[in-house]
Amino acid sequence: MTVLEPAQTRDAAVDPRDPLRRLERLFDAGTLSLLHPRDKSGMLAAIGSIDGVRTVAYCSDATVMGGAMGVDGCKHIVDAIDTALEQDVPIVGLWHSGGARLAEGVDSLHAVGLIFEAMVRASGRIPQISVVLGFAAGGAAYGPALTDIVIMAPEARIFVTGPDVVRSVTGEQVDMESLGGPDTHTKKSGVAHIAAHDEDDALHRARRLVSMLAEQGEFDLDAARRGDTDLRALLPESPRRAYDVRPIVHELLDNVEGESTFEELQAGWARSVVTGFGRLGGRTVGVIANNPLRLGGCLDSVSAEKSARFVRLCNAFGVPLVVIVDVPGYLPGVSQEWEGVVRRGAKLLHAFAECEVPRVTLVTRKIYGGAYIAMNSRALGATAVFAWPDAEVAVMGAKAAVGILHKRALAAAPEEEREALHDRLAAEHEAIAGGVGRAMSIGVVDELIDPATTRSTLAQALAAAPACRGRHKNIPL
């Protein structure tokens, strides 16, 4: 490997697609060293620092044949991945490529395949982050998709086949943005994790995630205690009212200079679950939270899959997990069954059951049915399960359960007495069949905690657990 001296920063007149200019903006100032001389390969790779973290990066050279990937350009990416693996450091890919070079034929296709093989070799061993700044078409679409996190700038377009091909084959009329723009991939397909405001923001978010994953820090329990606040005050008064869980997540995690450390992933897709990274008492943690604002917080096929991928991402890189639960169960319906809620829900069960990192669950209001098991239950190996006072743990809500179990008795009761009977039977059912008291008595809920000490309680439980890291790759579920 030939390491060159850092290049001089280009002036403002340089082509904004210039790969050296983009890499210099990604790395800390003055730390960039090229891994190979600049050439006409359509790719440039370098090593440097991001917030002091040693990092490898490669960037499409869109000024040469639109960044199309030939044999030499693909070799630069493979070499960059191998370098990152040898040095055990993160790798960031900046993508702006029309795909494989047509003129090089099957040679270029084979070379692109070697990139994919290298990415899979690196999967789960080093963080791989993709930032799509322009086109990522054809073979270049699958490069980002094989990495851990995909960030899209507003000008980014990811698709296997462009609008002209789609139109000629299927007759569908679609433009490039609708086919593969940030809205499509952050709200409909789930391919991308973050839609950035502009190119600078995309690079900033990549830098932030490198720091989160590579410099995870240690728990500072005093700092966690200093940030304690009554999180239950953020819940609506009525237990039946929907609410956005994000304010609870932001308050639970650290704030630095008035800004939350939470970096949400896939915010626009599968919105009944919120996932992302933040810091708790100075330590990077992953957060999964049911969001009652969407579908009442129900798990469905896509939110189960989204959560499963995130659990595996955290496990692969040793990131402890905080699971915030307020879920009425799985979303019922024909469409859910046809969309594979059983198959995709099983992914979440599998992900938690094999997870080795410390992981705690907090039940805020309720946890019912199959979702009770799926959301990091004790049965699946949770480090600890906590609940706020008055939280409900059951197969289903007591009144709903009684409506099924005592349907005939309720129907036979005089109408004016029926509601009182329903309430009495529900109270008896809750005392006998479940509730948080029963859950604690059999050890599946460890402790009722004061909402005002939630931060410090969760941090202490995670800090006390042995640090672990899973040994598996991060397949894009």
Side-chain angles (χ1 to χ4, degrees), residues 20 34 40 46 71 75 100 148 165 281 334 363 365 409 449-450 453 459 461:
L20 184 57
L34 297 179
K40 296 296 184 180
V71 172
K75 187 176 186 304
D148 300 307
V165 175
V334 173
V363 184
R365 289 204 304 192
I449 64 172
D450 183 349
T453 62

Side-chain angles (χ1 to χ4, degrees), residues 17 34 54 84 89 128 134 150 182 193 220 223 225-226 234 248 320 331 363 403 432 441:
R17 302 170 300 164
L34 297 179
R54 193 74 167 159
V89 298
Q128 299 182 81
V150 180
H193 296 81
D220 182 338
R225 278 189 289 272
R226 287 195 297 272
L234 299 172
I248 292 177
L331 184 69
V363 184
I432 296 170
S441 71

Side-chain angles (χ1 to χ4, degrees), residues 180-201:
D183 267 7
T184 295
H185 288 309
T186 56
K187 296 179 181 179
K188 296 179 181 178
S189 71
V191 168
H193 296 81
I194 294 172
H197 303 304
D198 52 35
E199 186 167 312
D200 285 337
D201 182 50

Side-chain angles (χ1 to χ4, degrees), residues 311 347-356 359 376 379-381:
V311 170
K347 295 178 184 180
L348 182 56
L349 296 172
H350 190 288
F352 270 128
E354 76 166 347
C355 189
E356 298 179 39
R359 47 194 165 101
N376 194 40
L380 298 184

Side-chain angles (χ1 to χ4, degrees), residues 26 30 56 63 70 77 98 135 141 151 170 200 236 254-255 257 276 333 380 382 454 472:
L26 174 70
V56 172
T63 68
I77 296 180
F135 289 106
I151 301 167
T170 70
D200 285 337
D254 297 349
N255 282 260
E257 297 179 354
L380 298 184
T454 299
H472 58 74

Side-chain angles (χ1 to χ4, degrees), residues 139-211:
Y142 286 107
L146 282 169
T147 60
D148 300 307
I149 298 171
V150 180
I151 301 167
M152 293 183 73
E155 298 78 16
R157 304 289 183 265
I158 302 175
F159 44 70
V160 176
T161 54
D164 292 342
V165 175
V166 170
R167 193 176 303 115
S168 66
V169 174
T170 70
E172 295 171 291
Q173 300 294 321
V174 66
D175 59 28
M176 290 185 180
E177 184 173 0
S178 298
L179 183 64
D183 267 7
T184 295
H185 288 309
T186 56
K187 296 179 181 179
K188 296 179 181 178
S189 71
V191 168
H193 296 81
I194 294 172
H197 303 304
D198 52 35
E199 186 167 312
D200 285 337
D201 182 50
L203 297 175
H204 167 72
R205 306 286 273 277
R207 288 173 55 87
R208 192 178 191 199
L209 286 163
V210 165
S211 180

Side-chain angles (χ1 to χ4, degrees), residues 56-398:
V56 172
Y58 53 89
C59 181
S60 304
D61 188 348
T63 68
V64 179
M65 300 175 62
M69 298 185 296
V71 172
D72 291 338
C74 292
K75 187 176 186 304
H76 291 326
I77 296 180
V78 172
D79 289 345
I81 294 171
D82 287 340
T83 300
L85 281 169
E86 289 167 7
Q87 300 195 20
D88 194 25
V89 298
I91 186 164
V92 178
L94 308 182
W95 292 88
H96 191 155
S97 171
R101 288 188 176 180
L102 294 177
E104 296 186 26
V106 72
D107 288 347
S108 65
L109 289 177
H110 176 68
V112 171
L114 293 176
I115 293 175
F116 299 161
E117 188 277 334
M119 288 176 162
V120 173
R121 265 194 294 115
S123 180
R125 295 177 58 189
I126 56 172
Q128 299 182 81
I129 298 171
S130 289
V131 185
V132 184
L133 301 173
F135 289 106
Y142 286 107
L146 282 169
T147 60
D148 300 307
I149 298 171
V150 180
I151 301 167
M152 293 183 73
E155 298 78 16
R157 304 289 183 265
I158 302 175
F159 44 70
V160 176
T161 54
D164 292 342
V165 175
V166 170
R167 193 176 303 115
S168 66
V169 174
T170 70
E172 295 171 291
Q173 300 294 321
V174 66
D175 59 28
M176 290 185 180
E177 184 173 0
S178 298
L179 183 64
D183 267 7
T184 295
H185 288 309
T186 56
K187 296 179 181 179
K188 296 179 181 178
S189 71
V191 168
H193 296 81
I194 294 172
H197 303 304
D198 52 35
E199 186 167 312
D200 285 337
D201 182 50
L203 297 175
H204 167 72
R205 306 286 273 277
R207 288 173 55 87
R208 192 178 191 199
L209 286 163
V210 165
S211 180
M212 285 272 194
L213 290 171
E215 289 291 337
Q216 295 182 22
E218 302 290 338
F219 285 108
D220 182 338
L221 298 182
D222 288 336
R225 278 189 289 272
R226 287 195 297 272
D228 269 333
T229 185
D230 185 4
L231 296 179
R232 191 164 61 173
L234 299 172
L235 291 179
E237 290 185 10
S238 169
R240 295 180 178 85
R241 185 178 170 188
Y243 65 95
D244 190 347
V245 76
R246 289 180 182 87
I248 292 177
V249 174
H250 287 295
E251 285 298 312
L252 174 70
L253 298 175
D254 297 349
N255 282 260
V256 178
E257 297 179 354
E259 182 181 355
S260 172
T261 58
F262 186 55
E263 184 69 67
E264 186 173 357
L265 304 182
Q266 297 179 307
W269 182 65
R271 293 185 291 174
S272 66
V273 163
V274 171
T275 60
F277 294 110
R279 293 193 185 271
L280 176 60
R283 173 68 161 91
T284 298
V285 296
V287 176
I288 300 176
N290 302 115
N291 191 9
L293 190 65
R294 306 291 179 181
L295 304 178
C298 283
L299 283 175
D300 63 356
S301 57
V302 290
S303 64
E305 192 168 85
K306 168 181 172 178
S307 301
R309 172 79 192 279
F310 186 71
V311 170
R312 288 176 59 82
L313 171 61
C314 291
N315 194 47
F317 296 115
V319 179
L321 277 160
V322 174
V323 184
I324 303 173
V325 178
D326 183 355
V327 60
Y330 276 92
L331 184 69
V334 173
S335 65
Q336 283 299 301
E337 302 298 342
W338 289 3
E339 289 172 15
V341 67
V342 174
R343 173 177 56 83
R344 296 160 102 177
K347 295 178 184 180
L348 182 56
L349 296 172
H350 190 288
F352 270 128
E354 76 166 347
C355 189
E356 298 179 39
V357 297
R359 47 194 165 101
V360 296
T361 296
L362 170 69
V363 184
T364 59
R365 289 204 304 192
K366 62 185 176 298
I367 183 167
Y368 294 159
Y372 154 76
I373 302 172
M375 293 300 293
N376 194 40
S377 62
R378 266 297 197 175
L380 298 184
T383 302
V385 178
F386 301 108
W388 285 349
D390 302 322
E392 299 178 61
V393 182
V395 175
M396 63 176 66

